[in-house]
C-alpha cells in the first residue's frame, strides 16, 4: 500500500483525542518514581563541587557507620570491574585518525572533570539517610584550573591524558579548494560570527532509575526514565557490564518528557544495576531538579563563523563554515554525531547553493557533557544558515522573503553538496502560505501602530529543513554509527479481532498509543479502541532503537505497516479458504475480504477467529495464529520543511522583547492526527522561542561553577510569554516510506530561534544594532542598543 492510498483511509487525518490522556489527567500515570519494589533501598550520589580537580583520597568510614547505610561505592569499587560509558558514534578526523575517546568512568577515578561529576554512591534504607551519609563522605581534592568556554579550550589545562590539547576531533565535509575558488571571484561575500547558546533540557520528570537483581534467575531488571530501552540495554550489557543481553530487562514506563536528554546511557543507570547484585536488593534513585541541572546532558553550545558568496543579484554561489563544538567533559552517547552528521549535512537548507565546505572542531571542557537536545544538530544548522541568509538579504538590499525565494530549490529529487538527497518538497508553497496566514501585507501598518506606542517592530523569517529518521543503517554505519538505526514492530491479532501492537519506538509525550492505533485501525478496518500499543519494555517488545530524531511514525510506523502487510497476506489465504476461492482473487478493504467479481465477503473478525480456531483449516498449508513481526530500515532520511514568520515588538527603553505574532507553516507529509501534530509544533515553538529570548546555561569562567543551576537563574518560558500561534501545513508525501510521513516532533524548535532573532534585529536596524546572539533577554538587548548609540 503506497502513501497516497494510505492517506485516504478512515482514521487517517482525524483529530482523535489521545487514548493515553485519561490516565495522565486522572493521576493514573506510572512513572519510574511511582514504582517501589520489595527489598528496596535508596541511592544518593556524591558529586564533585569542583569543575576540575585531582582526587587525593575518599574516606567513606563515617558515612558507612551512619544509621541505615548499607554501602558507599567509590571509583575504587568499580575500577577493573566494568567498562566506562561508551560513545555510540565514531568520528574520523580529517587526518584519518579516530576521534580522541577518553574513558568515561561510572564513578570518578583519580580525577573529576565537571561540577556534578560522580564521586561516590551511597545506598541506604531511606533517601534521607542516604543524603545524610553523602554529606559525611570526605573527599580531599587538589583543585585544578578549569575551562568552560569552547574558544579557550585549546590553551587550557588538559582534562584527559588522551587529549592533551583538549581536542576531540577535526571533521570536514565538502570541497574546500572549489569553495575557496568561488569565493575569490564572488561579487559579494557576507560574513557572520555567532554563538548557539547552551541549554539545559529540563523535562518535567527528572531522571530516575531502579536497579534490581534476582539471584534465583540471575537476571537484572532496570526501571528507568529513558527514550530507548533496547539501546540502553545494548550499551550497558555489551560495553559496560559485559552481561548476557537476555539476562537484563530494561523497562521504561511512562516518561514525563525527554527532548533527547533521556536517550543516553547514564552512569547512574549502570551503578544502580551493578550494585543491585552486590547488595542483593533493589536500589532506587530519583534526581532532584538541582541535580538534573548539573548532571543531565546539555544541548547546543556552538561558536561559529559563516560566510556566503553571492553573485550581483543575490544568488548563492558557495558557503563556508567553521564551528567549534563543546563536547563537555566526556563524550555522551551520540554527542559526536550532533555537530557533524546531524549538523553540517543540513547546511544546504532549502537553497540551491552549489558549493559548501564545513569544518568542525570538537573540544573537551569542564562542563556537563553535551548531546542531542530537541533537534540535535538541525537547530544549530538552521540557526546559522537562516541568520546568515537574512543578513545576506540586508547586505544586498533585498527583503528576507525575496532573498530566500530567489534561492529556493524548485525541483526534486535534489542532491545537496553536503551528502543528502532531498526526495520531495514545496518550499515556495510553504513561504506563500506563511505570508498569507501571517498577513505580511499588513506588517507596515502594524509597524506604524507599534511606533506610535514608542516600540520598535520587526519581522523575521526562517525557512528550515531537517533530516529525520536517522537512517539507513548501512550509510549511518559508514559514517560512524555503532548501532543499527532500524525499527521493529509486532502486530498481534487476537481471536476476537482486537489487536496489540508492540513497537520499539517509545512514547514520552508524543501520543504513540493513539497515532499508531490509528494506523493499524485504518489498515485493518477496525475501531481505534480495539488497538492497544505496548512499548518501553525489552521483555515484551522484540527489539527497537527508540524515539529520537522525529523517527517514530516514519520508521516505527513503517515497521508496523510492514508487519501489517504480512498480516494481510496470511489473512487473505484464510479468507480464501473460507470463501473457497484463490487467495490471488481476494481483496481487502474497510475490514472486509471480498472475492473479485463476486458478492462473496467475510469480515476481518471472522478471519481472526478462524486463525485461532482452525476447524476445517488447512494446517498443512497454514499454521494457526495471526501474529507477525517486521523490521524496517529506511532507504533515506525524511525531510520535513517549512517557513516561520515572527513579528516582535521591542521596547528600546527597557530592552524587553515581546513576540506579538508568530506564523508557522510546515510540510510534514501525510499527517495521521492533526491535533497531536499541532501540539507537537506548539511545544517545539515554545522551546525554540525560549532559547531565543530567555534560556541560557552559564558557567563561571574562572571556577567552572554552574551559575544557572535552578529556575531562579535559568529562565523558563511561560504561557503568557507567547501569542496565539497561527499554524498551517502543506503536504508533499515522503516518497520512500509506506505512510508518506516525515516527522514533526522537532520542527518547532528548529525553525523558530532564527525567526525570532531575525525579527529582533529587523526591529533594531534603524538604531544601529547589527548583530547579537541568543538569548535576546532585556539586559542583552538594552546593552546592544546602548553600544550602538556609543
Amino acid at each position: 500500500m503506497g502513501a497516497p492510498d494510505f492517506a485516504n483511509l478512515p482514521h487517517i487525518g482525524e483529530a482523535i483525542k489521545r487514548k493515553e490522556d485519561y490516565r495522565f489527567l486522572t493521576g493514573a500515570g506510572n512513572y519510574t518514581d511511582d514504582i517501589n519494589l520489595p527489598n528496596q533501598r535508596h541511592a544518593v550520589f556524591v558529586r564533585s563541587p569542583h569543575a576540575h580537580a585531582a582526587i587525593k583520597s575518599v574516606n567513606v568510614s563515617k558515612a558507612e557507620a551512619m544509621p541505615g547505610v548499607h554501602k558507599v561505592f567509590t571509583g575504587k569499587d568499580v575500577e577493573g570491574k566494568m567498562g566506562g560509558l561508551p560513545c555510540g558514534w565514531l568520528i574520523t578526523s580529517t587526518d584519518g585518525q579516530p576521534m580522541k575517546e577518553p574513558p568515561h568512568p561510572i564513578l570518578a577515578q583519580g580525577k573529576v572533570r565537571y561540577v556534578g561529576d560522580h564521586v561516590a554512591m551511597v545506598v541506604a534504607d531511606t533517601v534521607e539517610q542516604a543524603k545524610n551519609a553523602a554529606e559525611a563522605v570526605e573527599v580531599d581534592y587538589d583543585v585544578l584550573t578549569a575551562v568552560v568556554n569552547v574558544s579557550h579550550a585549546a590553551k587550557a589545562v588538559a582534562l584527559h591524558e588522551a587529549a592533551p590539547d583538549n581536542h576531540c576531533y577535526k571533521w570536514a565535509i565538502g570541497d574546500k579548494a572549489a569553495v575557496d575558488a568561488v569565493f575569490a571571484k564572488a561579487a559579494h561575500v557576507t560574513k557572520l560570527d555567532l554563538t548557539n547558546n547552551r541549554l539545559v533540557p529540563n523535562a518535567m520528570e527528572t531522571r530516575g532509575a531502579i536497579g534490581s537483581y534476582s539471584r534465583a534467575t540471575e537476571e537484572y531488571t532496570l526501571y528507568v526514565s529513558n527514550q530507548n530501552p533496547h539501546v540502553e540495554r545494548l550499551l550497558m550489557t555489551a560495553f559496560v557490564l559485559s552481561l548476557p543481553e537476555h539476562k537484563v530487562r530494561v523497562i521504561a514506563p511512562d516518561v514525563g518528557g525527554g527532548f533527547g536528554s533521556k536517550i543516553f546511557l547514564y552512569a547512574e543507570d549502570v551503578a544502580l544495576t551493578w550494585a543491585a547484585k552486590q547488595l542483593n536488593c533493589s536500589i532506587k534513585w530519583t534526581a532532584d531538579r538541582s541535580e538534573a541541572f548539573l548532571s543531565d546532558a546539555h544541548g547546543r553550545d556552538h561558536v561559529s563563523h559563516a560566510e556566503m558568496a553571492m553573485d550581483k543579484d543575490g544568488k548563492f554561489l558557495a558557503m563556508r563554515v567553521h564551528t567549534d563544538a563543546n563536547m563537555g567533559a566526556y563524550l555522551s552517547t551520540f554527542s559526536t554525531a550532533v555537530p557533524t552528521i546531524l549538523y553540517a549535512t543540513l547546511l544546504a537548507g532549502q537553497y540551491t547553493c552549489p558549493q559548501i565546505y564545513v569544518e568542525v572542531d570538537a573540544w573537551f571542557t569542564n562542563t556537563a557533557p553535551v548531546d542531542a537536545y530537541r533537534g540535535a544538530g538541525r537547530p544549530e544548522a538552521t540557526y546559522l544558515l537562516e541568520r546568515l541568509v537574512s543578513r545576506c538579504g540586508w547586505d544586498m538590499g533585498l527583503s528576507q522573503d525575496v532573498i530566500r525565494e530567489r534561492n529556493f530549490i524548485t525541483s526534486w529529487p535534489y542532491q545537496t553538496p553536503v551528502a543528502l538527497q532531498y526526495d520531495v518538497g514545496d518550499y515556495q508553497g510553504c513561504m506563500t502560505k506563511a505570508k498569507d496566514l501571517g498577513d505580511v501585507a499588513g506588517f507596515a501598518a502594524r509597524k506604524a501602530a507599534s511606533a506610535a506606542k514608542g516600540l520598535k517592530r520587526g519581522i523575521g523569517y526562517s525557512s528550515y529543513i531537517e533530516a529525520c529518521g536517522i537512517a539507513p543503517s548501512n550509510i549511518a554505519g559508514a559514517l560512524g554509527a555503532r548501532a543499527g538505526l532500524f525499527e521493529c514492530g509486532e502486530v498481534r491479532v487476537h481471536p476476537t479481532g482486537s489487536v496489540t501492537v508492540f513497537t520499539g519506538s517509545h512514547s514520552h509525550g508524543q501520543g504513540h498509543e493513539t497515532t499508531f492505533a490509528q494506523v493499524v485501525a485504518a489498515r485493518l478496518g477496525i475501531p481505534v479502541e480495539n488497538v492497544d500499543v505496548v512499548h518501553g519494555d525489552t521483555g515484551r517488545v522484540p527489539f527497537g532503537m527508540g524515539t529520537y530524531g522525529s523517527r517514530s511514525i516514519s520508521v516505527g510506523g513503517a515497521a508496523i505497516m510492514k508487519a501489517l502487510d504480512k498480516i494481510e497476506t496470511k489473512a487473505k489465504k484464510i479468507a480464501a479458504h473460507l470463501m473457497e476461492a484463490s487467495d490471488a482473487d481476494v481483496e481487502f478493504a474497510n475490514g472486509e475480504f471480498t472475492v473479485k467479481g463476486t458478492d462473496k465477503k467475510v469480515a476481518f473478525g471472522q478471519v481472526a477467529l478462524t486463525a485461532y480456531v482452525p476447524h476445517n483449516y488447512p494446517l498443512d498449508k497454514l499454521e494457526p495464529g495471526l501474529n507477525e513481526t517486521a523490521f524496517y530500515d529506511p532507504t533515506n532520511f525524511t525531510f520535513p520543511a517549512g517557513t516561520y514568520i515572527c513579528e516582535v515588538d521591542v521596547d528600546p527603553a527597557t530592552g524587553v522583547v515581546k513576540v506579538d505574532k508568530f506564523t508557522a507553516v510546515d510540510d510534514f507529509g501525510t499527517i495521521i492526527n492533526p491535533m497531536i501534530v499541532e501540539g507537537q509544533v506548539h511545544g517545539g515553538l515554545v522551546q525554540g522561542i525560549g532559547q531565543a529570548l530567555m534560556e541560557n546555561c552559564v558557567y563561571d569562567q574562572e571556577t567552572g561553577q554552574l551559575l544557572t543551576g535552578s529556575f531562579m537563574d535559568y529562565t523558563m518560558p511561560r504561557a503568557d510569554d507567547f501569542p496565539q500561534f497561527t499554524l498551517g501545513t502543506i503536504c508533499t508525501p515522503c516518497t520512500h516510506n509506506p505512510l508518506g510521513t516525515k516527522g514533526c516532533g522537532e520542527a518547532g524548535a528548529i525553525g523558530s530561534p532564527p525567526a525570532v532573532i531575525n525579527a529582533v534585529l529587523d526591529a533594531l536596524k534603524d538604531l544601529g544594532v547589527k548583530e547579537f546572539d541568543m538569548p535576546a533577554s532585556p539586559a542583552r538587548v538594552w546593552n546592544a542598543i546602548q553600544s550602538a548609540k556609543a
Side-chain angles (χ1 to χ4, degrees):
M1 175 171 287
D5 296 330
F6 175 78
N8 294 322
L9 289 177
H11 305 308
I12 302 306
E14 291 184 16
I16 296 172
K17 291 183 179 179
R18 300 198 331 166
K19 297 175 66 176
E20 49 268 72
D21 282 349
Y22 180 81
R23 74 171 187 272
F24 294 141
L25 294 173
T26 57
N30 188 38
Y31 299 88
T32 300
D33 194 54
D34 294 321
I35 297 167
N36 289 293
L37 303 178
N39 192 30
Q40 180 176 283
R41 310 289 183 262
H42 296 267
V44 167
F45 286 86
V46 178
R47 299 184 182 274
S48 171
H50 303 292
H52 200 191
I55 298 175
K56 299 171 70 175
S57 65
V58 181
N59 188 337
V60 301
S61 56
K62 291 182 181 178
E64 289 191 326
M66 295 179 71
V69 175
H70 291 262
K71 177 68 177 175
V72 179
F73 295 98
T74 69
K76 289 185 177 180
D77 294 302
V78 301
E79 188 173 8
K81 297 176 183 176
M82 63 181 71
L85 296 180
C87 179
W89 205 292
L90 173 66
I91 295 297
T92 301
S93 288
T94 53
D95 62 2
Q97 295 299 308
M99 66 188 188
K100 305 288 182 15
E101 196 170 359
H104 188 174
I106 303 306
L107 295 173
Q109 295 170 15
K111 199 176 189 184
V112 290
R113 295 176 172 88
Y114 68 100
V115 175
D117 206 350
H118 313 77
V119 176
M121 180 177 72
V122 179
V123 180
D125 288 333
T126 68
V127 175
E128 194 63 33
Q129 289 171 333
K131 285 182 177 180
N132 291 338
E135 293 180 0
V137 175
E138 298 174 349
V139 186
D140 188 5
Y141 295 101
D142 183 6
V143 179
L144 304 171
T145 304
V147 60
V148 299
N149 190 319
V150 68
S151 299
H152 303 156
K155 298 181 179 179
V157 174
L159 276 74
H160 304 276
E161 291 182 8
D165 55 359
N166 291 322
H167 192 233
C168 181
Y169 59 77
K170 178 184 286 291
W171 181 89
I173 189 170
D175 188 332
K176 184 177 188 302
V179 168
D180 290 345
V182 174
F183 268 86
K185 298 178 180 178
H188 181 83
V189 174
T190 289
K191 300 180 180 182
L192 184 63
D193 292 296
L194 48 79
T195 298
N196 202 301
N197 47 321
R198 179 183 282 240
L199 302 175
V200 180
N202 280 314
M204 186 178 294
E205 177 207 26
T206 59
R207 288 189 298 117
I210 309 170
S212 67
Y213 178 74
S214 168
R215 285 187 174 176
T217 62
E218 297 183 327
E219 292 177 341
Y220 298 81
T221 301
L222 174 67
Y223 294 86
V224 62
S225 181
N226 184 271
Q227 297 175 218
N228 46 0
H230 282 92
V231 175
E232 171 111 352
R233 181 179 69 169
L234 174 64
L235 295 174
M236 185 164 60
T237 56
F239 294 97
V240 187
L241 295 179
S242 298
L243 295 171
E245 198 168 3
H246 71 288
K247 288 294 187 181
V248 179
R249 181 181 183 184
V250 176
I251 301 172
D254 289 328
V255 173
F259 313 118
S261 70
K262 293 175 181 175
I263 296 172
F264 324 120
L265 176 63
Y266 285 94
E268 295 91 350
D269 308 344
V270 176
L272 293 167
T273 304
W274 176 80
K277 180 179 180 180
Q278 310 306 307
L279 300 181
N280 193 32
C281 66
S282 300
I283 307 174
K284 182 176 184 177
W285 164 79
T286 302
D288 60 34
R289 184 60 65 179
S290 295
E291 199 172 13
F293 268 96
L294 289 172
S295 63
D296 287 2
H298 293 171
R300 316 293 191 246
D301 206 344
H302 286 189
V303 175
S304 299
H305 175 76
E307 301 180 358
M308 183 75 80
M310 293 173 281
D311 68 12
K312 61 181 178 59
D313 298 317
K315 284 284 290 181
F316 300 156
L317 303 175
M319 180 171 64
R320 56 190 177 197
V321 176
H322 180 269
T323 293
D324 287 307
N326 197 336
M327 296 286 99
Y330 301 99
L331 296 181
S332 181
T333 308
F334 293 117
S335 58
T336 51
V338 174
T340 52
I341 310 303
L342 301 179
Y343 164 70
T345 57
L346 272 299
L347 284 170
Q350 298 186 11
Y351 310 111
T352 55
C353 187
Q355 295 284 351
I356 299 174
Y357 178 73
V358 186
E359 194 173 82
V360 178
D361 283 291
W363 305 91
F364 294 108
T365 66
N366 296 110
T367 60
V370 178
D371 210 319
Y373 172 66
R374 198 169 191 169
R378 282 72 58 87
E380 294 90 321
T382 299
Y383 182 69
L384 181 146
L385 180 60
E386 291 304 296
R387 284 283 309 278
L388 181 62
V389 169
S390 285
R391 175 54 58 196
C392 287
W394 292 327
D395 285 357
M396 298 294 289
L398 300 173
S399 63
Q400 295 179 70
D401 55 338
V402 169
I403 188 70
R404 286 171 168 80
E405 292 172 330
R406 189 162 294 184
N407 289 281
F408 274 155
I409 297 164
T410 55
S411 63
W412 292 265
Y414 180 82
Q415 179 63 53
T416 74
V418 279
L420 299 182
Q421 184 180 82
Y422 306 156
D423 62 328
V424 70
D426 183 4
Y427 307 149
Q428 183 61 61
C430 285
M431 173 67 80
T432 300
K433 189 166 185 176
K435 289 197 291 186
D436 289 344
L437 289 177
D439 185 27
V440 171
F443 173 70
R446 293 189 292 275
K447 184 178 178 71
S450 295
K453 302 174 186 176
L455 304 175
K456 297 292 184 181
R457 193 176 189 93
I459 188 168
Y461 286 72
S462 171
S463 294
Y464 79 92
I465 191 168
E466 60 168 322
C468 297
I470 319 299
S473 292
N474 60 338
I475 293 177
L479 295 173
R482 288 167 164 166
L485 296 171
F486 52 83
E487 196 47 84
C488 176
E490 178 187 351
V491 177
R492 186 179 299 172
V493 180
H494 302 292
T496 57
S498 60
V499 176
T500 301
V501 176
F502 299 85
T503 175
S505 299
H506 188 278
S507 180
H508 41 280
Q510 294 89 342
H512 294 172
E513 294 175 38
T514 303
T515 51
F516 285 174
Q518 285 179 252
V519 168
V520 174
R523 184 71 187 277
L524 298 181
I526 62 177
V528 174
E529 309 85 67
N530 287 7
V531 183
D532 284 340
V533 177
V534 174
H535 61 91
D537 186 346
T538 65
R540 299 184 68 189
V541 177
F543 201 80
M545 299 307 295
T547 295
Y548 47 85
S550 299
R551 73 192 298 270
S552 294
I553 192 64
S554 299
V555 186
I560 293 169
M561 284 288 281
K562 288 191 70 177
L564 288 167
D565 288 342
K566 296 180 180 180
I567 292 285
E568 182 177 324
T569 297
K570 182 175 181 180
K572 281 182 176 179
K573 293 179 180 179
I574 299 172
H577 171 73
L578 292 174
M579 294 185 287
E580 299 180 336
S582 167
D583 59 288
D585 294 328
V586 175
E587 296 178 334
F588 179 61
N590 301 318
E592 287 187 334
F593 296 89
T594 57
V595 179
K596 286 185 287 187
T598 76
D599 60 356
K600 292 182 177 181
K601 62 181 180 180
V602 62
F604 176 78
Q606 185 179 348
V607 170
L609 182 62
T610 303
Y612 289 94
V613 187
H615 300 160
N616 190 29
Y617 186 86
L619 290 171
D620 58 325
K621 297 179 181 178
L622 283 173
E623 62 185 28
L626 200 53
N627 181 27
E628 298 288 352
T629 300
F631 287 78
Y632 176 71
D633 198 335
T635 57
N636 193 5
F637 292 92
T638 62
F639 297 101
T643 287
Y644 293 177
I645 302 175
C646 175
E647 292 184 31
V648 300
D649 275 329
V650 182
D651 185 344
T654 63
V656 171
V657 177
K658 177 186 177 184
V659 176
D660 188 63
K661 193 175 177 66
F662 201 103
T663 304
V665 173
D666 299 284
D667 178 3
F668 296 136
T670 303
I671 290 177
I672 308 299
N673 187 315
M675 180 192 69
I676 288 177
V677 168
E678 185 174 319
Q680 288 288 304
V681 174
H682 275 226
L685 292 176
V686 166
Q687 283 185 280
I689 297 170
Q691 176 181 11
L693 294 184
M694 56 198 76
E695 293 188 54
N696 196 27
C697 178
V698 180
Y699 284 90
D700 183 89
Q701 295 289 315
E702 299 298 325
T703 65
Q705 293 294 323
L706 181 62
L707 301 180
T708 51
S710 74
F711 290 139
M712 294 293 289
D713 306 296
Y714 186 95
T715 308
M716 292 289 283
R718 298 170 181 263
D720 61 358
D721 292 317
F722 304 99
Q724 180 67 40
F725 299 129
T726 301
L727 305 185
T729 60
I730 69 169
C731 179
T732 61
C734 173
T735 61
H736 55 79
N737 74 51
L739 301 166
T741 53
K742 297 183 179 181
C744 70
E746 297 163 305
I750 292 170
S752 56
V756 174
I757 297 300
N758 285 336
V760 173
L761 291 170
D762 183 63
L764 300 180
K765 279 191 298 185
D766 60 351
L767 295 181
V769 176
K770 189 170 182 179
E771 291 296 340
F772 64 84
D773 283 310
M774 300 183 286
S777 62
R780 291 166 68 98
V781 173
W782 187 86
N783 283 328
I785 293 171
Q786 304 315 308
S787 296
K789 286 180 179 179

